[in-house]
Amino acid sequence: MLVKIRHFQPSDWACIGIALLILTPLINGPAALLIGACLANLGYSPKNLQLAKITKRLLSFSIVGLGFGISIEQAIEYSQKGFGLIVGSIALTLSLGYLLGKYLRVERKTGYLISSGTAICGGSAIAAVSPAIGANSKQTSLALATVFILNACGLFIFPLIGHLFSLSQVQFGYWAAIAIHDTSSVVGAAAAYGDKALSVATTVKLARALWIIPVALVSALVFKEKDSKFKLPYFILFYVLAIVISNYLPYFSSLYNGIFDASKQVLKVCLFFIGYELTASSLRSAGIKPLLLGVLLWMFIASLSLLVIYCFY
């Protein structure tokens, strides 16, 4: 267990109670994130709940559950159609991140982690690449704080921009998957835009997340650290397995639909927990130069991918 129940404080029980409320249709994803951030900044963070570990597990289970609502034909179609966009955006973002990092004089490993998080899938990529390059806790936390701030902004801003440009569900799904960092924020923004956007965004985002593996391997070689290693995000494999099961064993379709709907609700709880990390101190800890690097990279990938998707998808 993550913590013994007898050690729970009132703030812990309050967090659990609100999380249960968020499981209902009464609260959407962006509102859940905002509630968590407000509580944290008012000093009502849970004392003994290890939210980072809980969120990581819930997010993994939720992503796997979403696989039960994905058509395998659509998964292949979206992944193939978005292959060039995925590879091109990763290569361009890493290259530009290297150049901007040198120009802004951002510490090398911190800049590389921010670039990796922007290029692939935010915190998951940073967590995977960090041990591969031998980054210390300060470098990792700076990168995570920077990416998290932009994630929170993307969750609210992207649906507004999508409606402003009258993007279709499919177009928005591609754009969210390419331009928003973490899977949780991609799913949250896409879910707010529509079910079709959610299906496309989840599939393309996880196809993009698979690039953690080669990028982490190459990173270990580039930085030439001893005892380099990285963690394989196994939830991606289980997500693929869920798609296969739901498509080739269609006899339990009602069960699959139930799992899919439940997973969308649990994702809102993940956003609520993530909101607790969005505090004034986390904003300050990101620093000016790393944050500037993250913003410039994000603007680049968001604007370029929007242009490509708007014109060709």
Side-chain angles (χ1 to χ4, degrees):
M1 295 182 66
L2 296 175
V3 67
K4 294 181 179 179
I5 293 179
R6 66 173 179 269
H7 293 156
F8 280 2
Q9 302 295 316
S11 58
D12 299 313
W13 289 114
C15 178
I16 294 172
I18 297 173
L20 292 175
L21 179 62
I22 289 173
L23 282 172
T24 69
L26 298 175
I27 301 175
N28 60 23
L33 180 75
L34 188 59
I35 291 171
C38 289
L39 289 173
N41 283 281
L42 291 172
Y44 295 112
S45 297
K47 305 299 182 184
N48 293 306
L49 288 175
Q50 299 180 33
L51 292 186
K53 292 184 178 180
I54 295 173
T55 303
K56 183 178 180 180
R57 293 183 184 181
L58 285 180
L59 179 59
S60 297
F61 288 134
S62 299
I63 295 299
V64 173
L66 290 177
F68 287 99
I70 303 297
S71 163
I72 198 166
E73 288 83 7
Q74 288 181 337
I76 295 173
E77 176 189 350
Y78 296 148
S79 298
Q80 288 180 338
K81 189 175 181 181
F83 180 80
L85 188 61
I86 292 170
V87 176
S89 65
I90 291 173
L92 286 173
T93 304
L94 288 174
S95 300
L96 183 61
Y98 171 75
L99 296 175
L100 282 175
K102 290 193 68 175
Y103 178 76
L104 295 172
R105 296 183 180 178
V106 176
E107 193 280 324
R108 186 187 179 207
K109 290 184 179 179
T110 301
Y112 188 80
L113 289 175
I114 293 172
S115 301
S116 299
T118 305
I120 309 175
C121 57
S124 298
I126 292 172
V129 172
S130 180
I133 67 173
N136 59 39
S137 59
K138 181 179 179 180
Q139 293 163 336
T140 304
S141 62
L142 275 174
L144 287 171
T146 300
V147 166
F148 179 78
I149 291 168
L150 300 180
N151 264 329
C153 295
L155 185 63
F156 293 99
I157 294 173
F158 271 59
L160 296 177
I161 297 176
H163 289 299
L164 178 64
F165 283 92
S166 299
L167 297 181
S168 68
Q169 295 277 319
V170 172
Q171 286 177 320
F172 185 84
Y174 274 111
W175 188 44
I178 294 298
I180 300 179
H181 306 75
D182 277 335
T183 304
S184 58
S185 293
V186 169
V187 173
Y193 206 79
D195 287 341
K196 185 70 171 180
L198 176 62
S199 175
V200 175
T202 304
T203 303
V204 177
K205 183 61 177 179
L206 292 177
R208 186 181 174 201
L210 289 172
W211 285 85
I212 288 177
I213 300 171
V215 168
L217 288 171
V218 171
S219 300
L221 295 175
V222 171
F223 282 81
K224 297 180 181 178
E225 295 285 347
K226 294 182 179 180
D227 301 321
S228 296
K229 59 182 179 179
F230 72 100
K231 295 181 179 180
L232 177 68
Y234 289 103
F235 72 89
I236 297 176
L237 304 180
F238 287 111
Y239 171 80
V240 174
L241 181 61
I243 295 176
V244 172
I245 290 174
S246 62
N247 279 268
Y248 291 101
L249 294 175
Y251 315 105
F252 307 101
S253 58
S254 58
L255 174 62
Y256 303 148
N257 291 333
I259 295 174
F260 179 75
D261 292 335
S263 297
K264 290 194 293 182
Q265 298 302 112
V266 172
L267 277 168
K268 294 191 302 180
V269 177
C270 293
L271 292 172
F272 169 60
F273 290 158
I274 289 171
Y276 276 102
E277 298 297 324
L278 191 60
T279 62
S281 60
S282 71
L283 296 176
R284 288 193 298 268
S285 69
I288 299 300
K289 288 185 177 180
L291 184 59
L292 180 59
L293 172 61
V295 169
L296 291 174
L297 281 177
W298 190 43
M299 290 176 62
F300 164 76
I301 190 66
S303 58
L304 181 60
S305 59
L306 176 60
L307 178 63
V308 172
I309 290 168
Y310 191 77
C311 294
F312 301 105
Y313 282 76

